[in-house]
Amino acid sequence: MGLLPPHIVPVTQKLNRGLQPSREELGRYFQTIAPGMDFLELLPFTLQLGGRPMDVAVRRPMFAPLFRKKRRSRREIFKCGRQVGKTSNAAGSMMMNLVWRKNFRILYVAPLAIYTNRLHHIHFSNMIRSCGLPWPIQDQDCVNNVNEKTFRTGSHFHGVSCFNSAGNALGIAIDWIVLDEVQDLNLDFVPQIRETLRTSDFRWESYFGTARGIENTIQLLYDESSGGEWRMRCGCKAFGRDIIPDLEHDAIGMIQRHGVACPDCSRLIDVERGEWIHRHPDRAQDEYGEDERGNPVIVKAGFAGFHIPATIVRDVCTPYDRYLETIYDKLHGVSRYSEAKFLQEVLGISSDQGGRPITPEEIQKASVLDITEDGEGFNAEHYSLLAGGQDWGGSEITSFTVGTIVGWHPTGVFHCLGAARPTGIPDNERHIPMAAFYQRVGKGRMVGIGADAGFVGSVQNRNLARISGIRTANIAYGTKRDFFHAMPGNNFVVDRTTLIYLAYTLIREGKLLFPKGRWFETFTKDLTATYIEDVEAPNGITIRRYCRRKNLPDDFLHSLGYALFIASIAQGIDLPAMLGLGANGSLSSQAISLQQLGEEGSQTLDFFGFTDS
Ligand SMILES: [Zn+2]
């Protein structure tokens, strides 16, 4: 630190002797030394966590990159296990920037209001109350609520929740965006959020989240990053053995009865003696060049990635009974987690969740009807009614135009009687082969067609009705407290999650059968393009959603859902009630209540408004 100015020498002497300097002495002391110090060093003097100074350098060195005054990389991601202190460290880092920088602006984005509430009530409130600085950080002119906080430095915090829309985050100028619980965020709107950084000199982006399925956005982001792993060492080999908590290096073998240990020699590891090593070191920092005046400018933003499993965090690995409870017993104990859950929530490692809504065997078991591609093999008179479902496609690479016909058999079972997927036909003419299909296979017994209202539907649904002579309803997906809402003009809004759930459940319970044979497998294959993601809110409520696997078409699933919907309402069947969800019940009702819970100021309307194909 070099020579200290004379007025602060008494302060350092007092501090060294464990004496308490006066507030004035401390104020002058900090203002003199702070410019030369990193946030990492200032942190213990500034913030408290759990009643003691927050000391990341000593207690959680793996989070140190968050507390650098000068970041090595403008973008960063922390892919974590649960209970590793990700949100308290994110909150601590945000606070440091708010109280030590002038006019610094932070935008915090989380998928549910419950997260912005938790950040305010648990983390920020305690940190502000127990702040160790010898001057007030807020005064009566400052704002301090869930969605907005201001500080005497002129720095500003905005907190918003947006599940599926950037609406709450637009129109403000921001220096640092912090996206939390990104495993549950729809990242399609990140480019819009990034716009808030446009005028900033900092343009920082940080992502935090818990590992999830291998196709989850948190893993996709981590794959783009430098892929940092915390490397510890054991002296048992001649040149030492690397201890790295990933699957390649036996992260599971580290978890031993007596503690976190070397997988080879079982010696206990000091988890804090480690360093970050990066799979792609070139991505771990920004790349600088010069502008026309010779000033340094970032020519390529880095994207530093950090993987933080519970097994490298001392507060989780010690004391021993806490280790048993939070790590060891979840792997070996009576109430152990499934392998996927253990990898994700303890080790912060993404894995295939097995979140398959249906297996190929279940589909095969339901494929029993002797019906040909031309619609031969069934007697339309045997069904109370037939209904169609129409999904309009796009590029014909991962999105196709598919129509299907479903009949209600008096034995209490739906039969899928045929499907068609015309290709190589221009967008605005695809209703023609579809109309021919409904006329030929529907054999004049069609009660109606449910057709995708999105995309080209607003035009094509009318064309289809006109050419086929079959009543065509417009179906829009939404997120609804009830299964569906009917509106004038044959318009319906249907809860997406519920309709997909019902289709899969009907198949699994033997209440929906398909034609057998290779020709129909090209359609039922679409049913396996979907996987389940259960979004777990902190209050224990789980929200289910169905996601499409990257690059796989799922159009038959949607056309099937639309057909089932029309057949059931025409027949007077309450599908949700039939399958145990209650009359006109919806799987999204809890999600909607949860989103509205405690929301202050901001409101997200299209919370679950998926339009993915
Ligand atoms: Zn060893």
Side-chain angles (χ1 to χ4, degrees), residues 233-237 241 243 261-267 269:
R233 304 279 287 171
C234 179
C236 61
K237 295 273 163 63
R241 184 207 197 276
I243 313 282
C262 169
D264 287 349
C265 70
S266 295
R267 252 181 267 176
I269 300 161

Side-chain angles (χ1 to χ4, degrees), residues 110-133:
L112 299 169
I114 201 163
Y115 294 115
T116 42
N117 278 318
R118 186 183 59 175
L119 184 73
H120 169 73
H121 290 294
I122 298 178
H123 300 287
F124 277 155
S125 294
N126 286 332
M127 284 174 179
I128 290 171
R129 205 177 311 120
S130 64
C131 178
L133 291 179

